Amino acid sequence: MIFKIPLSYPNISIPLFLFRFCERRTNTRENANKNHCKNSVAVLLLILLFLGLTSCGSSKPSVVTTKKEAAENNDARAVSRPRTNRTVKVAIEKEEEQIERITNEKSYAETNDFINKVVENAMSYQGVKYRYGGTTSKGMDCSGLIGAAFMEAGKTMPRSSRTLSLVAKGLDLDEVRKGDFLFFATGKNKRQVNHVALITLVTPGEIEFIHSTTSRGVITSTLNEAYWINAFLRAGRID
């Protein structure tokens, strides 16, 4: 009788030794003893097989957790999970919405009827020649243009550009809006205001203004022009 013994069971050398030992003894004993030995080996093999099965269980541990522990494990996995493309896209869209909202609330979008009227009055003088001390369509200087535009809208303003700069509340360029003032130094003293202009339009990339120049009279210009940005001193507002 031949026993086929699986090679994966531990301690396989012990039953093989016993089996061979019994085979040698059967050569010198009677047939009754031979059968008795083989039966003993069979019983021993069954015992070892049972022990092997009970000791070679699954290597995967069986862990029983509470609901609280399971929830903590799920939270930990959620934290370590990398951001998906969808998550990144949503974050970018929210950021773009915030930027658009802030941009739309910029001061350059602010205006009112009074300022619109003042700017409209000043624009009506385009082409009028320069005249020092002038305040009419026959001729006007820079502060004369400002005075006439505000006077026609119902408000009196200081007569000189320097006085206007002293009365006006200082502003950064990213704060200015339609109806504010720009002050320049076009003379030898680069720190002293001697010219004023009225802002007519403000966009993210440009500030346009109207003023009366000695060479061309009442015209519109922008701060993108090299001459005026180099002569610029500060901006202001008179409420």
Side-chain angles (χ1 to χ4, degrees):
M1 182 176 182
I2 299 175
F3 291 90
K4 294 183 178 180
I5 301 173
L7 297 177
S8 60
Y9 290 100
N11 301 325
I12 191 73
S13 60
I14 295 174
L16 286 175
F17 171 79
L18 293 174
F19 181 79
R20 292 171 182 171
F21 175 76
C22 290
E23 283 293 332
R24 286 195 296 270
R25 294 187 63 184
T26 54
N27 293 331
T28 60
R29 292 184 178 184
E30 296 179 355
N31 292 334
N33 291 335
K34 179 179 180 180
N35 293 333
H36 176 73
C37 183
K38 289 183 178 180
N39 291 336
S40 298
V41 170
V43 172
L44 180 59
L45 287 175
L46 290 174
I47 293 172
L48 291 175
L49 177 61
F50 175 77
L51 293 175
L53 289 175
T54 57
S55 63
C56 298
S58 173
S59 59
K60 183 178 180 180
S62 176
V63 179
V64 179
T65 62
T66 63
K67 291 183 178 180
K68 182 179 179 180
E69 291 173 338
E72 291 175 351
N73 290 337
N74 290 335
D75 292 341
R77 286 193 294 268
V79 171
S80 61
R81 187 180 300 117
R83 298 178 70 184
T84 62
N85 292 336
R86 174 61 181 168
T87 303
V88 174
K89 183 178 180 181
V90 170
I92 293 175
E93 289 176 352
K94 288 183 178 180
E95 184 178 3
E96 290 176 347
E97 290 175 359
Q98 292 176 352
I99 293 173
E100 183 178 1
R101 176 175 55 79
I102 293 172
T103 301
N104 291 335
E105 293 176 355
K106 279 278 192 183
S107 59
Y108 64 73
E110 297 176 6
T111 186
N112 55 53
D113 293 338
F114 174 77
I115 292 300
N116 286 338
K117 182 61 177 176
V118 170
V119 171
E120 182 181 342
N121 293 340
M123 294 294 286
S124 68
Y125 289 106
Q126 275 190 286
V128 171
K129 65 182 181 180
Y130 178 85
R131 177 181 291 178
Y132 180 76
T135 59
T136 67
S137 58
K138 293 182 179 180
M140 55 180 52
D141 57 18
C142 59
S143 58
L145 171 65
I146 301 297
F150 275 87
M151 180 65 73
E152 291 172 9
K155 185 173 183 176
T156 302
M157 300 297 285
R159 181 62 186 85
S160 69
S161 57
R162 184 174 181 277
T163 305
L164 278 169
S165 69
L166 295 174
V167 174
K169 174 186 175 182
L171 299 170
D172 293 330
L173 283 179
D174 59 358
E175 299 176 314
V176 300
R177 67 189 185 205
K178 183 179 180 181
D180 289 336
F181 304 110
L182 298 176
F183 300 101
F184 302 89
T186 60
K188 294 181 179 181
N189 188 342
K190 298 303 179 182
R191 295 183 178 181
Q192 182 176 332
V193 174
N194 67 345
H195 188 69
V196 63
L198 178 69
I199 295 176
T200 58
L201 179 66
V202 179
T203 62
E206 188 175 60
I207 298 176
E208 183 180 299
F209 53 91
I210 189 168
H211 56 149
S212 181
T213 65
T214 56
S215 59
R216 298 174 59 190
V218 179
I219 59 172
T220 58
S221 305
T222 74
L223 275 184
N224 289 340
E225 298 175 40
Y227 177 82
W228 293 113
I229 192 61
N230 289 332
F232 172 74
L233 286 180
R234 55 183 174 272
R237 179 183 300 159
I238 298 178
D239 295 324

